[in-house]
Amino acid sequence: MQFWNFFKKININDTIIKSIIFNTIIEIFLNEKKIDIKKYLISIKINKNFILIKTNKPIITSELLLLNEKIINLLNKKFERLNFDISKYEIKYK
């Protein structure tokens, strides 16, 4: 499991990664749509090949799909400081 070994090596755990992803999604949604979606985000799961973001409203999920490129670009900038390449993982919304 290279993914977890990498986190141990640079001393980052999955909670920090999830928090960065959560805050980035909220930030982009507030900037683009002027809506706070904190109550609609249910969970963020990190797997070996992908990151799964769950919401409890299908309309929010579809909006996230539309904003996916902006989310990925901002995540790349944030994780660049941590020397973590988020582009290796596919982001899925459910």
Side-chain angles (χ1 to χ4, degrees):
M1 295 201 67
Q2 295 174 351
F3 182 72
W4 301 115
N5 290 336
F6 175 76
F7 283 136
K8 289 177 186 175
K9 182 179 176 184
I10 62 171
N11 202 16
I12 299 175
N13 63 17
D14 62 334
T15 306
I16 294 171
I17 300 298
K18 290 176 184 181
S19 174
I20 292 171
I21 294 169
F22 180 86
N23 289 328
T24 302
I25 290 171
I26 302 249
E27 176 185 341
I28 288 177
F29 221 91
L30 276 173
N31 290 340
E32 297 293 322
K33 303 293 183 179
K34 309 294 188 242
I35 299 172
D36 186 12
I37 62 165
K38 288 179 187 173
K39 59 184 174 185
Y40 303 122
L41 287 176
I42 295 174
S43 69
I44 297 173
K45 294 183 181 180
I46 301 173
N47 196 341
K48 186 177 177 183
N49 299 325
F50 62 89
I51 298 169
L52 180 64
I53 300 167
K54 283 184 152 183
T55 65
N56 60 0
K57 293 238 177 197
I59 190 77
I60 299 294
T61 304
S62 64
E63 290 292 328
L64 286 171
L65 284 168
L66 293 173
L67 295 171
N68 188 44
E69 188 150 336
K70 291 182 181 184
I71 292 169
I72 291 172
N73 288 337
L74 190 56
L75 283 174
N76 280 330
K77 288 178 186 175
K78 289 184 178 185
F79 283 122
E80 188 176 280
R81 294 181 214 140
L82 299 173
N83 294 326
F84 177 68
D85 188 12
I86 192 81
S87 63
K88 293 180 182 178
Y89 302 94
E90 181 183 358
I91 296 179
K92 297 182 179 183
Y93 304 97
K94 185 174 178 184

